[in-house]
Amino acid sequence: MQRIAVLGSTGSIGQNSLEVIKNFPEEFRVIGLSANSNIDILYRQIKSHRPGLVCVKEPQAALKLKSRLDLKNIKLFMGQEGLDEMVQDKHIDKIVLAISGSGALSPLLKAIDSCKDIALANKEALVMAGPIIMDRAAKKKIKIIPVDSEQSAIWQCLNGQDKNKLNNIYLTASGGPLRRSRKRELKNVSVSRVLNHPRWKMGKKISVDSATLMNKGLEVLETMHLFNVPPEKIKIIIHPEAIIHSMVEFVDGVILAQLSDTDMRIPIQYALSYPARLSSRARSIDFYKLKGLNFQKPDFKKFPCFGLAYMAAYEGGTLPTVLNATNEVSVDEFLKGRLNFASIPKIINRVLDKHHKKNNPDLEEILKADDWARKEAHKIIENLN
Ligand code: NDP
Ligand code: MG
C-alpha cells in the first residue's frame, strides 16, 4: 500500500489522480491533499478520501475551510510554509505534484530533501531549476517519475535501454486549438477559443501554453532535464491525433513509440504504479477505426514561443527561468483580458532580450531572475495599455 499526497488535488491532474487512486484501494491510499484556494472542491475530496494532511495555500481560504472541518483527524496546514512542511511528513511515500506554475518549485525541493518519490506533472519547476532539482534527486536517490504524457512515453520507451545509444527523441504535439488558424487571426483570438483544446481537457494555464505551443517549448526543457539529453537531440513533430505520445530513436535506426488513448489517467496511473503495471479501464485504441496517423513540421513563424524556448534551452543559465516567469505573467494577463494572444511571445522576447544571463545559477539566483522577469513583464504590459 502506497501512501500518497496529491498536491494541486483540485486541478485537472489532481482530480484525475484521485480518480485513479480510488480505482485501486488495495494499492494506494490518499493521505495528503492540497489546493491553492478552491476549498469547495477540496472539502468534497476530504470527505471522500479522509486524508490526515491537508494544506490550503491561501490563508483566508484556509481559515474558511478550518471553520467547516472537524479537525480531530486532520492536520491542516496553510500558506507556502505549510505546504513545504506538509510534504515532509514521514507517513507520505509518494507525492503527485500537480500544482501548476512556479509555485511547485519550493514543495518539490522540500519533498526531494525529505526523500519522497515524486510523480511529477508540473513542468514549470523543472524549466526554472532543472539542474538543481535533478542533482538533488540523484543525491537523495529518489525517483522523479513523469506524469506529463510525452515524458511518460519517453520514460517507458527508454526503460531497460542503454541511454548512450539514444539518437533522438521525437516529442509529439497535437498542435493545439489554433493549428489551422492563420497567423493574422491570432491577434484577436478569444480566451474561450484558446481554452477549447481539441484533444485534452486541462487547466487554464497549460491550455493557453498549448495554444501558443509554449507548452511544447517547456517540454523540450523538461525532457532535457528528466533524461539528461541536449536540445539538439529533441525534435518536435506535430501529430494531430495525439495517439503517439512520443518516440525515441536509437543509433541503429530503431524507433520505439508509446501509443495509447488521449487520457491523462493512463500516465498518472503508470507514475503511481511504476514499475508495476495495473489493469485499467482506459479505452484501447481501435486501429480498424483509426483513419490514419499524421505528422507535420511545426510552424516556428506562426508560433514564435517554440523558437524562444529552444533558444533558452541552448543558452541555459537563467534564461529558461526568465522564459518561464515571463510566460506565466503574459498568460495570466491574457486570461484576464489585458493582453492579446499574439503579444504573448513579444513580451517574452523583450524580457529575454533585456536579461543579463547568469550561468550555473544557484537557487537564490534563480529566484532573483524569476522575480526580475515578472517585474519587467508587468512593466512592459502596463506601458502597452
Ligand atoms: P489546474 O490549473 O487545473 O490545477 C492546478 C492546481 O494547483 C489546483 O489544485 C490549484 O489550486 C493548485 N495551485 C495553483 N497554484 C498554486 C500555488 N501557487 N500553490 C499551491 N497550489 C496551487 O492545472 P493542471 O492540473 O492542468 O496542471 C497542473 C500541472 O500539470 C501544470 O504544471 C501542467 O503543466 C502539468 N500538466 C498538466 C496536464 C493536464 O492534462 N492538465 C498534462 C501534463 C502536464 P486551486 O484549484 O485552489 O486554484
Ligand atoms: Mg504534455
Side-chain angles (χ1 to χ4, degrees):
M1 168 75 73
Q2 280 191 69
R3 295 163 301 177
I4 313 243
V6 181
L7 307 190
S9 62
T10 50
S12 162
I13 293 287
Q15 294 189 43
N16 275 315
S17 302
L18 292 181
E19 229 183 89
V20 170
I21 292 171
K22 219 166 190 169
N23 289 339
F24 299 98
E26 308 284 308
E27 311 283 341
F28 313 121
R29 190 158 77 81
V30 175
I31 67 158
L33 292 174
S34 95
N36 189 38
S37 62
N38 195 337
I39 54 168
D40 290 335
I41 295 185
L42 186 61
Y43 182 78
R44 287 200 293 277
Q45 293 177 341
I46 293 167
K47 290 283 152 203
S48 163
H49 292 272
R50 310 209 159 271
L53 309 163
V54 173
C55 181
V56 182
K57 171 90 181 304
E58 279 292 314
Q60 288 305 320
L63 293 174
K64 262 197 208 157
L65 180 70
K66 191 175 178 187
S67 66
R68 287 168 65 181
L69 283 178
D70 173 4
L71 291 174
K72 222 171 33 206
N73 300 314
I74 295 175
K75 197 167 171 195
L76 182 66
F77 300 83
M78 62 177 91
Q80 185 66 57
E81 302 75 33
L83 192 55
D84 291 350
E85 191 188 335
M86 185 178 98
V87 296
Q88 300 179 54
D89 188 280
K90 64 175 191 296
H91 299 100
I92 300 173
D93 298 316
K94 191 180 266 180
I95 292 181
V96 177
L97 225 168
I99 291 173
S100 56
S102 52
L105 179 60
S106 178
L108 173 59
L109 290 174
K110 287 285 183 299
I112 293 171
D113 287 347
S114 54
C115 298
K116 314 289 186 215
D117 281 338
I118 315 282
L120 185 63
N122 177 282
K123 58 195 83 178
E124 291 90 344
L126 272 180
V127 172
M128 283 174 84
I132 292 176
I133 294 167
M134 297 312 290
D135 196 44
R136 279 201 201 184
K139 281 195 181 118
K140 292 284 178 182
K141 297 194 170 53
I142 62 116
K143 285 191 232 35
I144 296 187
I145 308 161
V147 165
D148 204 351
S149 54
E150 297 78 1
Q151 321 305 319
S152 174
I154 298 163
W155 173 273
Q156 293 179 59
C157 292
L158 287 178
N159 219 343
Q161 301 290 340
D162 180 354
K163 282 194 200 143
N164 296 318
K165 304 290 176 195
L166 183 69
N167 230 5
N168 285 304
I169 290 180
Y170 294 101
L171 205 55
T172 55
S174 70
L178 305 176
R179 183 172 61 91
R180 292 172 189 278
S181 307
R182 288 170 196 277
K183 190 165 189 281
R184 60 184 149 80
E185 287 170 47
L186 294 186
K187 186 167 177 211
N188 297 318
V189 74
S190 68
V191 170
S192 61
R193 170 104 193 275
V194 166
L195 295 184
N196 190 14
H197 196 280
R199 295 274 173 247
W200 302 98
K201 176 133 190 44
M202 309 177 285
K204 285 185 182 171
K205 173 9 178 97
I206 186 175
S207 295
V208 180
D209 286 347
S210 298
T212 59
L213 296 197
M214 178 58 98
N215 183 49
K216 216 41 62 178
L218 298 178
E219 285 183 9
V220 169
L221 284 139
E222 186 187 18
T223 305
M224 280 172 61
H225 298 309
L226 281 174
F227 304 105
N228 195 19
V229 187
E232 58 271 22
K233 288 196 168 190
I234 305 170
K235 318 272 189 254
I236 295 174
I237 301 177
I238 304 294
H239 166 47
E241 294 81 11
I243 293 284
I244 298 179
H245 297 296
S246 278
M247 305 181 264
V248 301
E249 181 188 47
F250 296 98
V251 287
D252 56 0
V254 167
I255 295 177
L256 298 186
Q258 186 261 329
L259 291 71
S260 58
D261 192 21
T262 45
D263 180 343
M264 281 310 293
R265 288 171 299 187
I266 299 172
I268 291 170
Q269 181 177 311
Y270 188 62
L272 289 175
S273 69
Y274 175 85
R277 288 197 186 269
L278 301 173
S279 49
S280 126
R281 296 177 195 171
R283 272 190 315 182
S284 298
I285 297 171
D286 186 342
F287 284 98
Y288 296 124
K289 283 198 181 140
L290 262 186
K291 299 227 168 56
L293 296 177
N294 291 282
F295 306 99
Q296 293 154 10
K297 257 189 171 171
D299 186 338
F300 279 83
K301 280 208 176 109
K302 194 161 87 182
F303 298 109
C305 284
F306 258 155
L308 295 172
Y310 262 113
M311 190 272 285
Y314 276 99
E315 292 273 330
T318 42
L319 275 190
T321 307
V322 170
L323 174 95
N324 179 64
T326 322
N327 182 54
E328 284 192 16
V329 171
S330 306
V331 168
D332 191 48
E333 293 291 305
F334 168 71
L335 286 169
K336 288 176 174 151
R338 296 200 288 238
L339 189 68
N340 76 52
F341 184 81
S343 294
I344 296 174
K346 291 183 187 155
I347 305 292
I348 300 168
N349 195 11
R350 281 179 65 180
V351 180
L352 283 172
D353 261 356
K354 268 183 103 169
H355 183 60
H356 298 293
K357 183 180 76 154
K358 184 111 197 141
N359 282 323
N360 303 316
D362 59 22
L363 190 56
E364 200 182 317
E365 288 164 332
I366 284 172
L367 296 176
K368 208 169 136 199
D370 177 89
D371 186 54
W372 173 85
R374 283 170 202 273
K375 287 185 181 136
E376 284 300 315
H378 277 298
K379 250 194 267 170
I380 296 173
I381 295 168
E382 266 161 38
N383 285 336
L384 289 179
N385 295 324

